Amino acid sequence: KLAGASYMEIHQAGGGIHFTVEHTRKATEDELLAGLQQRLGRMLRAGSTLVECKSGYGLDLDTELKMLRAIERARKSVDIGISSTYCGAHAVPKGKTATEATDDIINNHLPKLKELKLSGEIHVNNIDVFCEKGVFDLESTRRILQAGKDMGLQINFHGDELHPMKSAELGAELGARAISHLEEVSDEGIVAMARAKCAAVLLPTTAYMLRLKQPQARKMLEEGVIVALGSDFNPNAYCFSMPMVMHLACVNMKMSMNEALAAATINAAYALGKSDTHGSLEVGKQGDLLIINSSRWEHLIYQFGGHEALINYVIVKGKVIYENERCETMSSY
């Protein structure tokens, strides 16, 4: 990648998602859970108290379920809140066409998921598809997302990342809760998302890592789109820190610090259908908050890469779950 290979060149050569799929298939559920718990702990210490966790590195039913079971076990064993996403349509598995993969998801994956959801074995909140040229086209994406919506899953998918696909228009039409990426979104797609109150989950780490053009955050905000921020944590963008994401959003996407804070809190909660309980400090909502070692909250964004010495306490449901001893000896200025 650093030598100049594009995301799709790496993907087509069997790298990227396919490389991770190979290793995920070999891993045990316990190994996946241990890695997940460790990463969630790092996110928690960086100030995140609610996180979306996706499957999508199995592409076959057994491995997708293995990932979702690991997420389910993490949900019960960690302090951080989890919204679980089924992303079986993250790539077309080797040996299948996109149409065959779509049929497999609709006829096999989703019915099994529905069964496990009804029995209470697995709680899945969202459905995701990588709608992209050379991956899942608009029609395949529509079929999968509609099937997921029909079984009660919120639509929250990858759209308009590398090529303009009219994903935003599709998401608005289907009543999607959120669409991620949107580096190549059309003007019409932005207007459609604003009208449909579909959140745009912008991921400044992705454009940074892949040297893509930045999402049009300013245009979206001006058109009234609900803009959220995400870390896009995955092997391509290994970032645990939402303070760093907010910093990148301010510098590279020209958002104000107030806009970035709202995008990383209340709007991010909205993108997961959780803004009635999370994302702001209000009576009746869950008591999740940070106490930082600074006289001004802006330092959380201003001091990029500085959250390890800034975040003094992380509080979830009114209980201190992380106390940072380093803050006792370090001043924020």
Side-chain angles (χ1 to χ4, degrees), residues 40-171:
L40 289 172
R42 286 183 69 178
M43 289 178 180
L44 190 69
R45 293 191 292 278
S48 293
T49 61
L50 176 66
V51 65
E52 181 194 3
C53 294
K54 299 179 191 282
S55 68
Y57 290 103
L59 309 184
D60 60 34
L61 179 56
D62 288 347
T63 316
E64 288 295 308
L65 290 178
K66 179 171 67 175
M67 293 190 81
L68 291 169
R69 284 193 175 101
I71 292 169
E72 186 64 29
R73 287 169 67 188
R75 187 205 294 275
K76 292 171 180 169
S77 61
V78 297
D79 291 306
I80 199 166
I82 291 176
S83 181
S84 174
T85 299
Y86 163 74
C87 186
H90 196 194
V92 178
K94 289 177 181 175
K96 275 197 169 87
T97 65
T99 304
E100 287 168 344
T102 300
D103 290 341
D104 185 36
I105 287 165
I106 291 169
N107 299 329
N108 299 311
H109 289 215
L110 291 177
K112 184 64 179 175
L113 211 52
K114 186 176 182 180
E115 180 191 314
L116 295 171
K117 205 167 175 272
L118 288 170
S119 70
E121 195 176 324
I122 291 177
H123 295 85
V124 182
N125 306 99
N126 318 289
I127 185 161
D128 188 2
V129 175
F130 189 9
C131 181
E132 184 54 72
K133 191 175 173 182
V135 192
F136 289 92
D137 66 15
L138 209 61
E139 194 45 45
S140 296
T141 300
R142 177 195 296 277
R143 289 179 59 207
I144 294 167
L145 293 177
Q146 187 61 57
K149 184 181 180 181
D150 290 345
M151 59 174 273
L153 299 177
Q154 293 181 132
I155 296 174
N156 186 341
F157 73 111
H158 292 57
D160 296 324
E161 179 185 356
L162 305 172
H163 299 91
M165 299 286 293
K166 296 197 180 294
S167 303
E169 291 91 324
L170 175 67

Side-chain angles (χ1 to χ4, degrees), residues 56-326:
Y57 290 103
L59 309 184
D60 60 34
L61 179 56
D62 288 347
T63 316
E64 288 295 308
L65 290 178
K66 179 171 67 175
M67 293 190 81
L68 291 169
R69 284 193 175 101
I71 292 169
E72 186 64 29
R73 287 169 67 188
R75 187 205 294 275
K76 292 171 180 169
S77 61
V78 297
D79 291 306
I80 199 166
I82 291 176
S83 181
S84 174
T85 299
Y86 163 74
C87 186
H90 196 194
V92 178
K94 289 177 181 175
K96 275 197 169 87
T97 65
T99 304
E100 287 168 344
T102 300
D103 290 341
D104 185 36
I105 287 165
I106 291 169
N107 299 329
N108 299 311
H109 289 215
L110 291 177
K112 184 64 179 175
L113 211 52
K114 186 176 182 180
E115 180 191 314
L116 295 171
K117 205 167 175 272
L118 288 170
S119 70
E121 195 176 324
I122 291 177
H123 295 85
V124 182
N125 306 99
N126 318 289
I127 185 161
D128 188 2
V129 175
F130 189 9
C131 181
E132 184 54 72
K133 191 175 173 182
V135 192
F136 289 92
D137 66 15
L138 209 61
E139 194 45 45
S140 296
T141 300
R142 177 195 296 277
R143 289 179 59 207
I144 294 167
L145 293 177
Q146 187 61 57
K149 184 181 180 181
D150 290 345
M151 59 174 273
L153 299 177
Q154 293 181 132
I155 296 174
N156 186 341
F157 73 111
H158 292 57
D160 296 324
E161 179 185 356
L162 305 172
H163 299 91
M165 299 286 293
K166 296 197 180 294
S167 303
E169 291 91 324
L170 175 67
E173 181 195 327
L174 292 177
R177 168 57 61 165
I179 305 171
S180 300
H181 285 290
L182 300 165
E183 288 86 353
E184 296 288 342
V185 69
S186 69
D187 291 351
E188 295 78 12
I190 291 173
V191 170
M193 287 181 71
R195 281 194 189 131
K197 293 187 166 49
C198 171
V201 182
L202 305 185
L203 309 166
T205 54
T206 310
Y208 170 73
M209 290 292 295
L210 296 179
R211 299 166 176 157
L212 304 174
K213 70 178 186 187
Q214 296 286 334
Q216 299 177 71
R218 287 258 50 91
K219 185 171 178 61
M220 291 181 196
L221 288 163
E222 284 156 17
E223 292 286 352
V225 176
I226 298 162
V227 172
L229 288 172
S231 68
D232 195 26
F233 177 84
N234 74 89
N236 176 60
Y238 211 90
C239 177
F240 293 104
S241 168
M242 284 302 293
M244 179 67 90
V245 168
M246 289 189 282
H247 177 90
L248 289 172
C250 292
V251 175
N252 290 339
M253 300 197 311
K254 301 181 171 62
M255 291 176 74
S256 71
M257 285 196 277
N258 284 354
E259 287 167 343
L261 182 67
T265 53
I266 189 67
N267 291 359
Y270 175 88
L272 295 174
K274 296 266 193 184
S275 53
D276 55 339
T277 53
H278 293 71
S280 59
L281 299 178
E282 295 180 62
V283 174
K285 285 195 178 185
Q286 186 164 306
D288 291 7
L289 59 143
L290 309 182
I291 296 175
I292 66 168
N293 183 31
S294 175
S295 58
R296 293 181 60 172
W297 70 265
E298 289 92 341
H299 275 266
L300 198 59
I301 298 174
Y302 167 61
Q303 295 186 26
F304 62 105
H307 70 262
E308 288 185 1
L310 261 177
I311 295 173
N312 207 339
Y313 298 96
V314 178
I315 297 168
V316 174
K317 296 181 183 174
K319 181 177 144 197
V320 175
I321 53 166
Y322 170 62
E323 180 178 358
N324 185 356
E325 292 169 2
R326 293 177 67 186

Side-chain angles (χ1 to χ4, degrees), residues 14-29:
I17 292 171
H18 290 302
F19 178 83
T20 309
V21 165
E22 193 184 315
H23 288 270
T24 306
R25 287 179 176 176
K26 287 176 187 167
T28 66
E29 188 182 308

